């Protein structure tokens, strides 16, 4: 099918959904709302063509005629349009991938990737080497960037499925019924408030994270493994594929309920709750699948030859469980597999009952028959698998049983590895209190060298330090309580329930050893009869530009500690190091951040290589380019050569989770693209890769230096810049949107750049169509470095063509520039209390915007932004007709709300204003 036909089909879908929306509005008697939307679009378009008072007045008149409720209804229509547009585009992309399922399938598929490997000389044995330690680990976070309610997400999922039915059906009764259902679902969506009535708590956030697993991720995970296995057969042949061992390379992590950095609502109790709810979710899925499997494996005695180990296991179950399962198994006494599966399900249900009792705070029964570990559950499933294969039913074993074994191997009894995160000073204060109480030592007065020496000795103290916990300050007792919860939860849920302990704002090696000392006080770390054990892994997080520049010093000091190296070896873990994209970009701008992160990765890998330490990099990415966002596949390929090595971990949050995982088909695509990016970036494990060009590195050093200087000049040395930020964006109002339990600022009443969180920073600039954190300084740095020298411009063009890092950097900048609109930004600048400040700061941003566009186009040798990505360009263009009027409305509402802010209660304009924030986020397809 040609691209023209594909576009035609997409336009047809958009027209269908738009006409349905119009029909629903008429059906609900909202013709006036429909007319107001149309007027706003027409008059805004006229203003953009000719920004004069004569054009502005008609648009202003439309807005002024609407009361708060009417504006709210208009905004909701805009919002629903974006939702329907996203459904049409997602369905269209899925259809295109289906059509490409010949030859190499779609670019980035397993089939395409393995074919590329084979063509480059990578054989099946080398693929096995790549697979041996492969790990793709997305980590869900609760950072407040998701503006959609869970109810709305469910409604959109139903709409997507109905649209898929219509898209694939011909004329007839079935299509007519689907169209009627589609109209009813749109009608229901319009009746559902998209703005939360209250601020979500941590429990709500836990529930939101779990929502995606039964919705899409359980089934998507099974299909990803199946697709890989089938592609191995297709590309390398049945014999080679049969000899390959394909590990469970997908794992999932979470910060929800474990991330206490800056969030006082996350307590040890919520951490326990998160782990129990995760365990409950996965056991429910196992119970559901066991039911389906029991319905399938109807083999009878005498018609299949069971293995002796299976028969012995079934007899052992009867003996051990006795009357507890006698009645349950009675219907299946002539069907061995159903009999066994009934017992397996009973034990899973016993596990669910145990979790339910713990959630209620009830005592556990003494005769609980739950599986003590996932290993025993897997052992039973594999017994069935081997027995089926033994009597010639391997093809049956490859169906639902195979999927269940994969899921159990992937999710265990914990579902996700829960990371814990806390800020470094919390540990330093706790350690100082404990050492003072136990040894009378003034830890705070020590220098770094003295601290490292003392911590190494204190960690090794048999049985921990002696002190009275009750005499410690409350904050220190709470810190210790967390480590006690980690120890007890490992015993309750299993040793894999926790991931890493992430230390934000890691400035010194002592910050890592402080966590180890705290862990030692609760039995997570220690030594018995000369043998060390360590049941915790620590991931230092480097966030600011200064931190990134000091990574070598910190890691070398850490690895120089004999105690730490001994603990790392005892844990059997890789050394994980986390890199913060958000704060480094907010701190020094996109160029200094991107280049600092790139160099930091190279340094980390080199340091670990020299010391023979295996490492894994953990990428703290957000949804927007200004927070490290962008397509995952390309982002992985843009990492330094030979730095990935088979494992990657990264954060996903808010709207990213929704767009990737709200539909199962899209979830398969996103997981596949991530894994194939990981495979390609890890090819250095089996074939040599070219090192980075030293000339390119030198150029980036210069560009980053100039870019950081210009960014800091704007954000730190421009008079009135922070006033401009707080007055020309809805950052204050975003805090009232009820999208997360975490405060938007580190410190209340602190309006400094350091205090505002990176999420709020990026979210607010995006709302006001000034996405400069993702591109400011690029234009100036390139123009300054080239300085009229044509050979330098040619060098940059070569870098763009041949170096994935530089190409990804400028491609992401193009996307962010395309989401900026300087005419609309000028409207927001007019909100500044001091008009001169507004004009001055706006002028700096707008000037750099123009410079960026010109130089990016010149380097990329294209005539317009996103010329290399026409589908994204078209998607943004389709949204512009609705985004512009929304932004204009938001500016008007911000002015009204702030004029009404007299302390006498909420302004009537606040609710429609919050709706505009929601709608603009939907239109731009990202928040923070």
């Amino acid at each position: 099918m040609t691209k023209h036909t594909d576009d035609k089909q997409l336009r047809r879908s958009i027209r269908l959904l738009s006409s349905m929306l119009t029909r629903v509005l008429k059906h609900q008697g909202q013709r006036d709302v429909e007319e107001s939307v149309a007027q706003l679009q027409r008059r805004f378009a006229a203003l953009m063509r000719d920004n004069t008072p004569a054009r502005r007045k008609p648009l202003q008149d439309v807005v002024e005629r609407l009361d708060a409720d009417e504006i709210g209804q208009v905004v909701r229509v805009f919002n629903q349009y974006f939702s329907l547009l996203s459904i049409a585009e997602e369905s269209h992309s899925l259809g295109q991938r289906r059509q490409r399922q010949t030859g190499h399938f779609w670019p980035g598929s397993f089939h395409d990737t393995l074919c590329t490997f084979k063509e480059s000389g990578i054989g099946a044995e080398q693929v096995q080497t790549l697979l041996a330690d492969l790990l793709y680990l997305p980590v869900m976070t609760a950072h407040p960037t998701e503006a959609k309610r869970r109810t709305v997400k469910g409604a959109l999922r139903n709409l997507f499925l109905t649209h898929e039915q219509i898209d694939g059906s011909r004329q007839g009764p079935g299509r007519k019924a689907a169209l009627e259902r589609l109209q009813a679902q749109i009608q229901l969506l319009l009746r559902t408030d998209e703005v939360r009535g209250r601020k979500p708590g941590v429990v709500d956030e836990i529930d939101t994270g779990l929502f995606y697993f039964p919705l899409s991720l359980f089934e998507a995970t099974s299909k990803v493994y199946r697709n890989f296995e089938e592609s191995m057969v297709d590309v390398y042949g049945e014999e080679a594929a049969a000899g390959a061992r394909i590990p469970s390379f997908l794992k999932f992590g979470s910060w929800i309920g474990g991330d206490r950095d800056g969030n006082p609502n996350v307590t040890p109790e919520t951490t326990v709750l998160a782990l129990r709810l995760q365990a409950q979710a996965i056991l429910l899925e196992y119970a559901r699948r066991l039911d389906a499997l029991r319905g399938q494996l109807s083999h009878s005695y005498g018609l299949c030859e069971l293995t002796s180990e299976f028969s012995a296991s079934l007899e052992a179950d009867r003996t051990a469980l006795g009357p507890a399962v006698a009645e349950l198994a009675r219907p299946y006494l002539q069907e061995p597999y159903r009999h066994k599966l009934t017992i397996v399900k009973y034990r899973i249900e016993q596990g669910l009952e145990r979790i339910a009792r713990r959630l209620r705070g009830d005592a556990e029964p003494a005769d609980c028959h739950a599986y003590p570990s996932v290993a025993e559950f897997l052992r039973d499933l594999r017994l069935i698998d081997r027995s089926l294969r033994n009597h010639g039913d391997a093809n049956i074993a490859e169906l639902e049983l195979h999927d269940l074994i994969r899921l159990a191997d992937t999710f265990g009894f914990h579902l996700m590895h829960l990371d814990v995160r806390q800020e470094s000073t919390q540990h330093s204060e706790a350690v100082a209190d404990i050492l003072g109480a136990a040894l009378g030592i003034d830890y705070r007065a020590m220098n770094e060298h003295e601290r490292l020496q003392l911590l190494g000795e204190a960690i090794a103290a048999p049985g921990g330090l002696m002190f009275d916990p009750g005499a410690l300050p409350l904050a220190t007792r709470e810190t210790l309580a967390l480590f006690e919860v980690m120890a007890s939860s490992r015993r309750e849920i299993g040793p894999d329930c926790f991931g890493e302990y992430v230390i934000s704002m890691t400035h010194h090696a002592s910050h890592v050893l402080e966590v180890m000392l705290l862990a030692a006080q609760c039995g997570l770390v220690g030594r018995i009869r000369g043998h060390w054990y360590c049941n915790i892994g620590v991931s230092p997080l480097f966030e600011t530009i200064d931190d990134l520049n000091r990574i070598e010093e910190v890691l070398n000091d850490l690895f120089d500690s004999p105690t730490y190296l001994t603990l790392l070896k005892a844990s059997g873990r890789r050394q994980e190091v986390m890199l913060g994209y958000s704060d480094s970009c907010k701190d020094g701008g996109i160029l200094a951040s991107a280049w600092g992160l790139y160099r930091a990765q190279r340094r980390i890998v080199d340091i670990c290589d020299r010391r023979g330490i295996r490492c894994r990099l953990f990428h703290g990415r957000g949804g927007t380019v200004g927070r490290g966002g962008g397509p995952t596949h390309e982002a992985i390929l843009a990492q330094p050569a030979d730095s990935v090595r088979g494992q990657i971990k990264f954060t996903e949050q808010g709207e990213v989770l929704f767009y990737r995982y709200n539909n199962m088909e899209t979830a398969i695509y996103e997981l596949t693209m991530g894994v194939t990016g990981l495979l390609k970036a890890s090819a250095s494990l089996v074939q040599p890769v070219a090192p980075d060009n030293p000339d390119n590195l030198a150029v980036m050093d210069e560009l980053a230096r100039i870019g950081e200087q210009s960014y800091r000049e704007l954000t730190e040395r421009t008079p009135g810049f922070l006033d401009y930020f707080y007055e020309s964006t809805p950052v204050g109002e975003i805090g009232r949107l009820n999208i997360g339990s975490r405060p938007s600022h580190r410190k209340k009443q602190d309006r400094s750049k350091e205090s505002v969180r990176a999420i709020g920073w990026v979210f607010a600039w995006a709302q006001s169509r000034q996405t400069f954190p993702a591109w400011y300084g690029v234009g100036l740095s390139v123009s300054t470095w080239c300085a009229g020298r044509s050979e330098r411009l040619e060098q940059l063009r070569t870098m763009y063509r041949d170096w994935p890092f530089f190409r990804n950097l400028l491609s992401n900048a193009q996307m962010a520039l395309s989401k900026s609109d300087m005419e609309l930004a000028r409207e927001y600048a007019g909100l500044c209390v001091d008009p001169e400040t507004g004009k001055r700061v706006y002028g700096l941003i707008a000037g750099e915007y123009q410079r960026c566009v010109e130089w990016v186009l010149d380097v990329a040798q294209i005539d317009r932004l996103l010329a290399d990505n026409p589908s994204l360009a078209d998607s943004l263009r389709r949204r512009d007709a609705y985004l512009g009027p929304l932004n204009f409305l938001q500016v008007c509402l911000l002015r009204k709300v702030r004029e009404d802010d007299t302390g006498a209660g909420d302004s009537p304009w606040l609710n429609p204003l919050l709706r505009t924030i929601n709608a603009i986020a939907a239109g731009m397809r990202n928040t923070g």
Side-chain angles (χ1 to χ4, degrees), residues 14 18 21 77-86 878 882:
I14 294 170
S18 297
L21 178 59
V77 172
F78 282 122
N79 200 350
Q80 302 315 326
Y81 170 79
F82 293 135
S83 295
L84 297 177
L85 176 58
S86 294
R878 283 188 287 268
Y882 284 78

Side-chain angles (χ1 to χ4, degrees), residues 466-703:
M466 300 298 293
F467 56 90
D468 175 12
L472 296 172
L474 177 61
T476 297
R477 295 201 304 273
E478 289 177 348
T479 298
L480 280 173
L482 168 62
F483 288 90
E484 290 164 359
V485 157
M486 292 181 71
S488 62
S489 295
R490 290 184 79 257
R491 294 189 292 271
E492 176 185 325
I493 307 292
D496 295 326
C497 65
F498 285 104
E500 305 297 306
Y501 195 110
V502 180
I503 310 171
S504 55
M505 294 298 169
T506 301
H507 305 310
H508 308 287
S510 60
H511 288 158
V512 176
L513 287 181
E514 286 166 357
V515 169
M516 288 300 190
L517 178 61
L518 293 167
Q521 309 315 303
C522 303
L524 288 165
V525 169
R527 185 166 54 176
I528 299 176
R529 292 188 175 182
H531 296 284
W532 284 90
Y533 66 91
C534 180
N535 296 320
I536 186 172
V538 178
S539 181
L541 167 55
F542 298 93
E543 299 174 84
T544 66
I545 299 297
D546 184 53
D547 287 340
L548 293 174
N549 291 332
R550 293 176 59 242
I551 274 182
E552 278 184 288
E553 175 191 335
V554 174
L555 291 184
N556 280 322
D557 285 348
L558 182 62
F559 296 151
D560 282 342
S561 166
T563 300
Y564 183 74
L565 285 183
T566 302
L567 291 172
L568 184 61
K569 183 178 180 181
S571 73
R573 295 172 180 256
R574 290 176 177 237
Q575 176 59 60
E576 183 176 287
V577 179
M578 185 173 182
L579 301 169
Y581 287 63
S582 308
D583 282 289
S584 60
C585 186
K586 177 171 75 79
D587 178 30
I590 190 65
L591 279 173
S593 171
W595 187 234
L597 289 161
Y598 189 92
R599 290 189 308 166
Q601 291 174 69
R602 182 75 273 155
R603 290 195 196 108
I604 292 165
V605 172
D606 289 346
I607 290 168
C608 290
D609 281 351
R610 287 196 299 270
R611 294 175 179 262
I613 295 171
R614 297 183 307 154
C615 72
R616 174 175 61 232
L617 296 170
F618 182 9
H619 302 266
R621 306 171 73 226
T624 57
V625 175
R627 297 191 58 240
T632 303
H633 186 91
E634 288 76 9
I636 296 173
L637 293 178
Q639 305 309 306
D642 192 31
S643 68
V644 177
R645 301 184 183 180
Q647 297 205 354
I648 196 162
K649 180 178 176 182
F650 55 91
T651 55
E652 293 186 317
Q653 61 204 31
E655 79 287 348
V656 174
L657 294 174
F658 172 74
Y659 290 124
R660 289 183 179 167
Y661 304 139
N662 203 53
N663 292 315
M664 190 263 289
E665 301 81 0
T666 304
I668 295 170
Y669 172 75
E670 292 291 346
L671 291 172
T672 300
M673 290 296 285
V675 174
T676 56
L678 174 60
L679 284 166
K680 292 175 186 177
S682 302
S684 61
L685 293 172
V686 295
Q687 62 181 201
V689 294
D692 287 330
N693 184 330
D695 292 341
N696 292 349
L697 303 182
V699 171
M700 275 308 306
D701 281 340
E702 278 299 295
L703 293 179

